[in-house]
Amino acid sequence: MTTPQAAALYLGAHLSEWADKGYAVFNPNNRDISELPFIYGFNNGGPREWLQAIALAQDGTCLGQYICSAEGYMPHDLGVLEGSRPDRHEHFREHYPDGYRMDFVGFDDVPNHAGVKAALELNEKQREQAA
């Protein structure tokens, strides 16, 4: 357990360390980036300091999840940022071998984000078909 002050300092240091990183792109065929499908990282909410971070492919496939103490850690922990979590990108490349681009959507923006909403609808259809 840590104090709220220590947690805030640690988060601040983490955000500062990764502040200059853009969102990761895997583009082995040098396609126009706008043609690449998205992998959305987003905050799915949850109890305080026990937030569910999700990586969801544009086609509705869940590619990962993680529990985070703060939304600020999610882009790194999900592999959204350039240079973060190469282990996750191995899995992402299996799903989208011809390329993808990452995006992160904060909790407050999830309900109105067209891309995440469409991916969640496709995810629901996948679950219905599997049942």
Side-chain angles (χ1 to χ4, degrees), residues 97-113:
D98 294 326
Y100 58 85
R101 54 189 164 153
M102 303 297 297
D103 190 17
F104 183 77
V105 181
F107 182 77
D108 292 337
D109 296 324
V110 168
N112 297 315
H113 192 281

